[in-house]
């Protein structure tokens, strides 16, 4: 699996602390509020909101928190947020994309730049690493939904582009513009997914040893601690031995 998928697995294995879970809920709620503000407050009529709600549910965000986030958009909240993407290099030349949602562009840029600098990285210009990734839709299913052939057939029928199956589960990729349609078709065939979202999928990867991965983890942890940062994606690759030793 590519870097960002492995990173998701690392997070899952580490287990999330209460503080981190609270921060995650906050970030998912912010996405729901902004998605509802930009379109219709009814998820059935707003694909971005539907995906945001689905992602929140897959992370066990309570229903009342989701409903409150949608209501905030109708009360005028969410107007001040703008979405910004930062690109740079982490330790050992690993490409890093940081997606942020902020009401103060200067504060966020300063914090992200400082975090890169303190953790062996370097913030670059927009486009400096973006060419190493493709924007894709990603749908993740647990291994128990079926074997690789079953999932592959369901993915082909749904209009997906690629499937990566392993003991950990199945990761299905599609064109970014097809995500809502593909995920709905997959749900009819395989049931509720573990995760459905837009991702940056690495086209090229950078291999890391244990020391390199530990340094990268410090940078990612520091970036994700920032309340303005919604998601961090990297293009690292590591062997199973390195992953296990982490």
């Amino acid at each position: 699996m590519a870097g960002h998928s492995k990173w998701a697995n690392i997070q899952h294995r580490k287990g999330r602390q209460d503080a981190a879970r609270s921060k995650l809920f906050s970030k998912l709620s912010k996405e729901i509020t902004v998605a509802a503000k930009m379109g219709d407050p009814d998820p059935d009529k707003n694909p971005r909101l539907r995906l945001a709600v689905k992602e929140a549910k897959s992370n066990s965000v309570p229903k009342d928190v989701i409903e409150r986030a949608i209501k905030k958009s109708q009360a005028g909240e969410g107007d001040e947020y703008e979405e910004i993407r930062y690109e740079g290099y982490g330790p050992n030349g690993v490409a890093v994309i940081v997606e942020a949602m902020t009401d103060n562009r200067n504060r966020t840029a300063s914090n992200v730049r400082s975090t890169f600098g303190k953790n062996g990285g370097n913030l670059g210009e927009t486009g400096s690493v973006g060419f190493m990734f493709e924007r894709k839709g990603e749908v993740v299913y647990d291994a128990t939904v079926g074997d690789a052939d079953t999932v592959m057939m369901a993915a082909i029928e749904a209009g997906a582009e690629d499937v990566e199956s392993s003991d950990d589960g199945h990761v299905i990729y599609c064109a970014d513009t097809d995500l809502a349609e593909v995920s709905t078709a997959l749900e009819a065939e395989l049931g509720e997914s573990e995760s459905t979202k837009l991702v940056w999928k690495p086209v090229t990867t950078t291999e890391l040893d244990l020391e390199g991965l530990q340094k990268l983890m410090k940078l990612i942890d520091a970036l994700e601690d920032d309340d303005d940062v919604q998601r961090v994606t990297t293009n690292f690759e590591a062997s199973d031995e390195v992953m296990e030793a982490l």
Side-chain angles (χ1 to χ4, degrees):
M1 283 190 186
H4 63 280
S5 299
K6 275 189 173 168
W7 172 240
N9 289 341
I10 291 168
Q11 286 183 310
H12 187 66
R13 282 209 295 269
K14 280 169 71 180
R16 304 296 279 163
Q17 301 299 320
D18 286 345
R21 178 165 288 277
S22 171
K23 198 175 282 279
L24 178 65
F25 281 13
S26 173
K27 292 182 181 190
L28 291 167
S29 295
K30 189 191 286 185
E31 166 63 20
I32 289 170
T33 299
V34 171
K37 190 74 190 175
M38 291 172 66
D40 196 288
D42 180 356
D44 290 333
K45 299 175 185 173
N46 182 338
R48 177 171 171 173
L49 178 58
R50 186 161 69 248
L51 291 173
V53 169
K54 191 169 187 177
E55 185 65 13
K57 285 180 177 175
S58 73
N59 282 283
S60 306
V61 176
K63 188 178 179 183
D64 64 312
V65 173
I66 293 172
E67 289 174 350
R68 198 156 58 240
I70 293 174
K71 282 177 183 171
K72 275 185 180 180
S73 74
Q74 304 312 295
E77 292 192 41
D79 286 357
E80 67 278 19
Y81 290 119
E82 62 175 321
E83 294 174 282
I84 308 174
R85 186 173 82 242
Y86 300 97
E87 301 180 22
Y89 289 94
N92 300 295
V94 173
V96 182
I97 291 180
V98 180
E99 293 171 271
M101 202 175 280
T102 180
D103 57 358
N104 187 324
R105 179 188 280 259
N106 291 337
R107 176 193 66 219
T108 308
S110 175
N111 289 348
V112 169
R113 187 181 302 279
S114 171
T115 301
F116 267 92
K118 288 176 182 173
N119 292 278
N122 184 33
L123 185 63
E125 298 294 321
T126 301
S128 59
V129 304
F131 67 93
M132 298 186 205
F133 299 82
E134 291 178 326
R135 191 65 162 159
K136 294 291 180 185
E138 179 194 80
V139 186
V140 179
Y141 276 95
D142 189 81
T144 56
V145 300
D147 59 24
D149 288 342
T150 301
V151 174
M152 177 66 81
M153 288 306 297
I156 291 170
E157 288 290 321
E161 295 177 346
D162 192 21
V163 182
E164 293 177 3
S165 293
S166 69
D167 293 342
D168 294 328
H170 310 279
V171 184
I172 301 163
Y173 294 105
C174 64
D176 56 346
T177 52
D178 295 342
L179 181 56
E181 193 178 313
V182 169
S183 65
T184 300
L186 285 169
E187 201 169 299
E189 196 67 31
L190 301 173
E192 189 81 22
S193 66
E194 278 196 349
S195 171
T196 299
K197 60 190 174 187
L198 288 167
V199 299
W200 292 99
K201 186 173 186 281
V203 178
T204 60
T205 57
T206 299
E207 183 80 22
L208 291 181
D209 58 15
L210 180 58
E211 183 184 354
L213 186 52
Q214 286 170 334
K215 287 179 181 175
L216 179 64
M217 292 277 287
K218 275 187 70 180
L219 171 61
I220 293 173
D221 280 340
L223 285 167
E224 291 196 330
D225 266 346
D226 191 315
D227 290 336
D228 295 334
V229 172
Q230 291 291 100
R231 188 173 292 133
V232 180
T233 307
T234 75
N235 73 335
F236 86 84
E237 193 67 65
S239 68
D240 290 339
E241 290 75 25
V242 169
M243 296 295 289
E244 288 302 324
L246 189 66

